[in-house]
Amino acid sequence: MLIRMPRRGLILHTRTHWLLLGLALLCSLVLFMYLLECAPQTDGNASLPGVVGENYGKEYYQALLQEQEEHYQTRATSLKRQIAQLKQELQEMSEKMRSLQERKNIGANGIGYQGNKEQAPSDLLEFLHSQIDKAEVSIGAKLPSEYGVIPFESFTLMKVFQLEMGLTRHPEEKPVRKDKRDELVEVIEAGLEVINNPDEDDEQEDEEGPLGEKLIFNENDFIEGYYRMERDKGTQYELFFKKADLMEYRHVTLFRPFGPLMKVKSEMIDITRSIINIIVPLAERTEAFVQFMQNFRDVCIHQDKKIHLTVVYFGKEGLSKVKSILESVTSESDFHNYTLVSLNEEFNRGRGLNVGARAWDKGEVLMFFCDVDIYFSAEFLNSCRLNAEPGKKVFYPVVFSLYNPAIVYANQEVPPPVEQQLVHKKDSGFWRDFGFGMTCQYRSDFLTIGGFDMEVKGWGGEDVHLYRKYLHGDLIVIRTPVPGLFHLWHEKRCADELTPEQYRMCIQSKAMNEASHSHLGMLVFREEIETHLRKQAYRTNSEVLG
């Protein structure tokens, strides 16, 4: 098993060389200062006492000797202080050299760093080595249960076999995302570099081909690999290579350590005056609109109070009922911030949202494209404000879609109220990661990118086209599941007028919206279950009578 990390031997050797040179210079400096201070001082212009000049008495010579003695004592004290300082510096440099030598030994021994794991290393390379040491690479970790293990996902040159699929992924698929594809290609190339250009400390021998040439591995010799990510440490890769005419496998372990956290920015966001224009395209479905307005009144009028509602209604049937509902809410809550746009034409969601966006004539505004069967919270509205920024970001939240309550709550006489159904559980709903209809974006960005494609007719497709426009542009797309956004279940009808692709998407959505895998299984095996229960009841009655 090999662990590929940057080598530090050359750097450490250079540092050690300069430290030794510095020590030699310091020693020379100390010796020079000592000889300088101990050498006798002469003055070419001074006369020698007692030889030339006036006669001096005994007191003069005693005073002169005392002066000279004080001078030498002062100089000796200064020299001692300087020598002490130099000794301290020498000791500090010796400790640095010893530390560098220890690091050099650590680098030669792979991942043998055993420093204080809780202390953030000052050296980035040392920190990366400590990340490997903390990860479950060389030794196992004690886990509390079978659910604590971090599973690997496997891959070949063409496919990835993944456990966490979601609704839009498959158990076996090609890595369609560019970042994942580029990651795996880079890893395989790094593994080939390790094999074909081994370090001195790698535990492998150079092999030769049938003609005595050096054996070179390429991507066609890659058999399989595994990877897993520890979110606070890094990603581990296990790679296996094999030549077709050889029996031995080559195994390479790589680790991509995560670096220390770095601050990108820190800012204050003021959303107190940010108005959201909620745009709802609608055709018929007046009963659903009654439920929508009840949620709107509770969240937008009574709590948030910074909302404008735009309803774009298609057709004549049901229009009067919608007007009545809006007027009722207006009279009850003294709410007048709404616009009703009537279009006497066939329903088209993209057309309705385009019209609703252009109906606003008060300049820039944050828009939330919503459907009548969506339930949202006041917290979601704040998330909408925080994650959209004109000219920079658009927000595409992932909605939690609720299953058919008649199936989810089949053991109850009637399903509970909608507010009690809003739970994130496996059997109650799923994250609708294939849907892009609910979005928060500024009006200027929507108009700049060209709005919805008016060529898309009927169910679905228009939201995906708009989403792709943003992906192909310069704005940041924020895509994340949010807890305060629910899609309420309703009966779906897939019209015959839809194109084959739209009809397939509609049927797929209809099937996924009905119930969880376990609940659908109970429905499929209902007769078998009922037969089993009847047999159990008959056996129990027979034992009682017997």
Side-chain angles (χ1 to χ4, degrees), residues 296-354:
F296 182 89
R297 180 173 56 247
D298 296 340
V299 173
C300 299
I301 300 178
H302 295 163
Q303 297 182 50
D304 191 273
K305 301 179 182 180
K306 299 186 294 294
I307 301 296
H308 185 93
L309 175 64
T310 300
V311 179
V312 181
Y313 194 84
F314 290 83
K316 296 296 185 181
E317 184 178 354
L319 179 59
S320 59
K321 179 69 177 296
V322 170
K323 289 182 179 179
S324 175
I325 295 170
L326 290 172
E327 291 171 356
S328 175
V329 172
T330 299
S331 61
E332 292 176 4
S333 307
D334 192 26
F335 176 78
H336 303 280
N337 296 330
Y338 74 89
T339 301
L340 176 61
V341 180
S342 176
L343 299 177
N344 190 20
E345 54 189 75
E346 183 182 355
F347 178 79
N348 183 304
R349 186 176 184 274
R351 160 84 170 147
L353 293 172
N354 272 346

Side-chain angles (χ1 to χ4, degrees), residues 222-488:
F222 176 68
I223 304 301
E224 64 179 353
Y226 313 111
Y227 70 93
R228 66 175 177 181
M229 180 176 66
E230 295 185 58
R231 295 186 180 276
D232 60 334
K233 301 177 184 69
T235 305
Q236 176 185 352
Y237 305 91
E238 303 289 341
L239 309 176
F240 296 90
F241 299 84
K242 181 181 180 297
K243 286 286 187 182
D245 53 349
L246 296 178
M247 295 299 295
E248 296 83 4
Y249 284 80
R250 290 292 185 89
H251 174 209
V252 177
T253 296
L254 300 176
F255 192 83
R256 189 193 301 273
F258 294 155
L261 294 174
M262 299 179 63
K263 184 186 75 173
V264 177
K265 66 177 179 179
S266 176
E267 60 181 349
M268 181 178 295
I269 303 177
D270 183 10
I271 61 173
T272 56
R273 292 178 291 180
S274 177
I275 296 175
I276 299 179
N277 182 16
I278 300 179
I279 305 176
V280 181
L282 184 62
E284 303 178 353
R285 302 200 60 197
T286 54
E287 292 183 2
F289 188 65
V290 171
Q291 181 174 266
F292 174 86
M293 288 306 299
Q294 180 179 347
N295 174 232
F296 182 89
R297 180 173 56 247
D298 296 340
V299 173
C300 299
I301 300 178
H302 295 163
Q303 297 182 50
D304 191 273
K305 301 179 182 180
K306 299 186 294 294
I307 301 296
H308 185 93
L309 175 64
T310 300
V311 179
V312 181
Y313 194 84
F314 290 83
K316 296 296 185 181
E317 184 178 354
L319 179 59
S320 59
K321 179 69 177 296
V322 170
K323 289 182 179 179
S324 175
I325 295 170
L326 290 172
E327 291 171 356
S328 175
V329 172
T330 299
S331 61
E332 292 176 4
S333 307
D334 192 26
F335 176 78
H336 303 280
N337 296 330
Y338 74 89
T339 301
L340 176 61
V341 180
S342 176
L343 299 177
N344 190 20
E345 54 189 75
E346 183 182 355
F347 178 79
N348 183 304
R349 186 176 184 274
R351 160 84 170 147
L353 293 172
N354 272 346
V355 170
R358 287 172 169 81
W360 178 270
D361 58 359
K362 300 177 183 178
E364 183 69 289
V365 69
L366 176 60
M367 305 182 300
F368 171 37
F369 294 159
C370 188
D371 286 343
V372 71
D373 44 33
I374 291 295
Y375 188 103
F376 55 85
S377 66
E379 290 76 17
F380 165 74
L381 296 177
N382 286 335
S383 297
C384 184
R385 294 182 174 100
L386 292 171
N387 290 286
E389 186 176 350
K392 292 187 177 180
K393 296 188 295 186
V394 292
F395 186 39
Y396 272 86
V398 180
V399 181
F400 192 78
S401 190
L402 298 177
Y403 291 132
N404 187 348
I407 299 177
V408 176
Y409 305 99
N411 58 340
Q412 302 181 21
E413 293 184 2
V414 293
V418 172
E419 291 75 14
Q420 297 181 18
Q421 298 179 28
L422 305 178
V423 292
H424 301 93
K425 292 185 178 180
K426 188 175 182 180
D427 286 334
S428 63
F430 63 97
W431 290 111
R432 199 181 187 89
D433 57 354
F434 57 85
F436 307 95
M438 307 309 116
T439 173
C440 297
Q441 51 193 261
Y442 276 86
R443 184 174 184 268
S444 59
D445 295 329
F446 177 74
L447 297 178
T448 300
I449 209 166
F452 285 98
D453 185 358
M454 292 295 95
E455 299 299 322
V456 180
K457 304 294 183 182
W459 186 93
E462 78 287 334
D463 50 359
V464 180
H465 281 78
L466 179 65
Y467 184 67
R468 288 173 179 169
K469 283 184 181 181
Y470 283 116
L471 295 181
H472 297 158
D474 297 327
L475 271 65
I476 300 173
V477 177
I478 306 296
R479 178 74 167 163
T480 179
V482 289
L485 194 62
F486 293 86
H487 177 269
L488 305 180

